[in-house]
Amino acid sequence: MPIPSIIAIDGPAASGKSTLGRRLADSLSYLFFDTGVMYRAVTWGALQRGLQIKDETEVTNLAETAQIDIRPASKEDGRACDVLLDGVDITWETRRPDVEANVSPVSAYRGVRQALASQQRRIGLRGKVVMVGRDIGTVVLPEADLKIYLDASAEERARRRYAEILQRGGQADYGQILAGVRSRDEIDSTRAFSPLRAAGDAIVLDSDKLNADEVFSKVEALCR
Ligand code: DC
């Protein structure tokens, strides 16, 4: 069997999708594309311009007109890639708490999803890609050669986010992070357009029971 060319990895926030995707893309020499950064870039742009996040028309207009570029990392500061919005490097801005708090409602807008998903699809169809998101196997690239759905409990995912923040020297409250994870899960999985769910033909892995190395070994074995 040939190595799958289009690999889709979906799952909820902090389930380990990016870690897996990055490692897999490195080992196969494929492009790694984390689609969540596009939703984050639109959210940051909306906040920066003082738009009301509730204003679907304005936010959608921004998603349709903004120039979002994802490029190979230009700095060794822990980033997976550069994220540019209209030519400005906003890589770390997309991780700010105000972006985190507003990205789920932005990504629930139909027009925003359509604008971003068509760009993602164009890139994905070139092949040799590991694309990570919520709807890659179901909507963006239903023809993907391999679909993985990586799941984990809300508690485990909140624990990981908490540890990540402390490791970067930040401060955090576990209870607040857990509440944030649950609230994003709720919005992401109940939205009307392309809700978070596993594709019928996805392989579901539970990262509560498997550590990062075990998840990687399983998926790599499926590829080769
Ligand atoms: O994976 P992440 O935390 O960077 O994603 C940020 C938000 O974008 C999250 O609320 C879900 C949404 N998202 C989405 O709806 N579809 C995708 N393909 C990727 C992310």
Side-chain angles (χ1 to χ4, degrees):
M1 202 183 74
I3 295 177
S5 178
I6 302 177
I7 302 174
I9 304 176
D10 291 302
S15 59
K17 305 182 298 289
S18 298
T19 306
L20 168 66
R22 223 161 136 168
R23 216 167 142 185
L24 194 62
D26 277 353
S27 94
L28 298 171
S29 299
Y30 279 14
L31 173 73
F32 169 64
F33 186 6
D34 178 359
T35 56
V37 299
M38 295 185 84
Y39 292 93
R40 288 171 179 270
V42 171
T43 306
W44 185 79
L47 294 170
Q48 183 72 5
R49 286 162 179 72
L51 304 185
Q52 295 292 322
I53 296 297
K54 285 195 299 267
D55 189 336
E56 181 167 356
T57 309
E58 288 276 316
V59 175
T60 301
N61 186 37
L62 175 67
E64 285 168 346
T65 53
Q67 180 75 42
I68 304 169
D69 286 319
I70 315 294
R71 301 210 187 128
S74 62
K75 291 184 189 151
E76 283 193 25
D77 60 359
R79 62 181 64 196
C81 56
D82 287 2
V83 184
L84 291 99
L85 182 67
D86 295 328
V88 179
D89 185 334
I90 59 157
T91 308
W92 289 115
E93 276 74 12
T94 63
R95 300 283 148 194
R96 281 167 36 157
D98 53 348
V99 171
E100 197 82 25
N102 287 288
V103 67
S104 271
V106 166
S107 65
Y109 291 145
R110 178 184 204 159
V112 171
R113 301 205 68 80
Q114 281 173 337
L116 301 189
S118 71
Q119 295 183 44
Q120 293 159 11
R121 183 166 169 75
R122 192 165 29 81
I123 296 168
L125 285 177
R126 294 183 201 145
K128 294 202 166 190
V129 65
V130 178
M131 201 175 282
V132 170
R134 303 291 192 287
D135 59 344
I136 309 304
T138 50
V139 176
V140 177
L141 292 164
E143 62 275 81
D145 305 304
L146 176 66
K147 300 180 187 178
I148 304 292
Y149 187 88
L150 193 55
D151 213 349
S153 65
E155 289 76 11
E156 174 61 20
R157 290 182 286 124
R159 200 192 53 70
R160 287 182 200 152
R161 273 277 148 94
Y162 177 72
E164 255 170 49
I165 296 170
L166 296 196
Q167 206 187 5
R168 270 194 254 126
Q171 288 190 330
D173 177 87
Y174 172 80
Q176 259 179 14
I177 295 179
L178 179 59
V181 163
R182 287 198 172 125
S183 139
R184 275 176 53 184
D185 282 358
E186 171 72 14
I187 303 178
D188 293 347
S189 56
T190 57
R191 68 181 173 223
F193 312 109
S194 41
L196 169 68
R197 64 178 173 81
D201 52 352
I203 293 160
V204 180
L205 298 175
D206 182 348
S207 79
D208 270 11
K209 302 195 185 89
L210 301 166
N211 66 32
D213 286 343
E214 290 166 333
V215 169
F216 175 70
S217 303
K218 270 191 182 289
V219 177
E220 212 199 16
L222 288 166
C223 288
R224 295 193 189 271

